[in-house]
Amino acid sequence: SSSSQERLEEDILSNIGKPIMVKVSDGRIMVGIFQCCDDHVNIIMTEALQVYMDKEEKSKYLGQIMIPGAHVEKVSIYKDMPARVEPNDGAKALMLLGESQKI
């Protein structure tokens, strides 16, 4: 219905500027600041990092990226995370996932 669509759009808009985690279909995990998405769930994020499960490997800074909606598997909004995550904080960012909420 249109009212549920409007609520969903409001929820999405209320999260602009917040830190998010996106898991993509090839297994990569991106962490960054949510900027926008469209009807196809293409997501644009800034200050993006590719983070690794291996704590020994440093995260890779990507900057501003667009993730095609077809490859988005999961999106989480961080409740308690600094707006900027330094490259060596990727493992810490992953640890915070337990405190995140899925949208």
Side-chain angles (χ1 to χ4, degrees):
S1 71
S2 65
S3 63
S4 62
Q5 178 69 24
E6 288 171 4
R7 278 196 302 273
L8 178 60
E9 289 174 10
E10 286 174 16
D11 286 347
I12 290 169
L13 289 174
S14 71
N15 288 305
I16 290 175
K18 293 184 180 175
I20 64 169
M21 182 280 301
V22 179
K23 183 177 180 189
V24 294
S25 56
D26 65 3
R28 291 181 294 163
I29 297 173
M30 311 297 176
V31 175
I33 306 301
F34 176 60
Q35 296 301 327
C36 66
C37 72
D38 62 14
D39 293 343
H40 303 287
V41 196
N42 296 316
I43 295 174
I44 294 179
M45 45 198 299
T46 56
E47 300 293 324
L49 294 173
Q50 180 176 334
V51 295
Y52 300 94
M53 299 304 283
D54 179 1
K55 294 178 184 172
E56 300 299 314
E57 191 166 2
K58 288 201 173 199
S59 299
K60 180 179 177 183
Y61 182 76
L62 303 173
Q64 181 171 319
I65 62 171
M66 190 276 287
I67 303 172
H71 297 292
V72 172
E73 283 192 350
K74 179 181 177 183
V75 177
S76 297
I77 305 291
Y78 288 99
K79 295 183 205 170
D80 302 306
M81 186 173 142
R84 181 170 170 81
V85 179
E86 297 300 325
N88 60 353
D89 287 343
K92 181 180 174 190
L94 286 173
M95 298 301 283
L96 290 169
L97 292 179
E99 301 170 19
S100 64
Q101 16 175 235
K102 187 176 178 185
I103 61 168

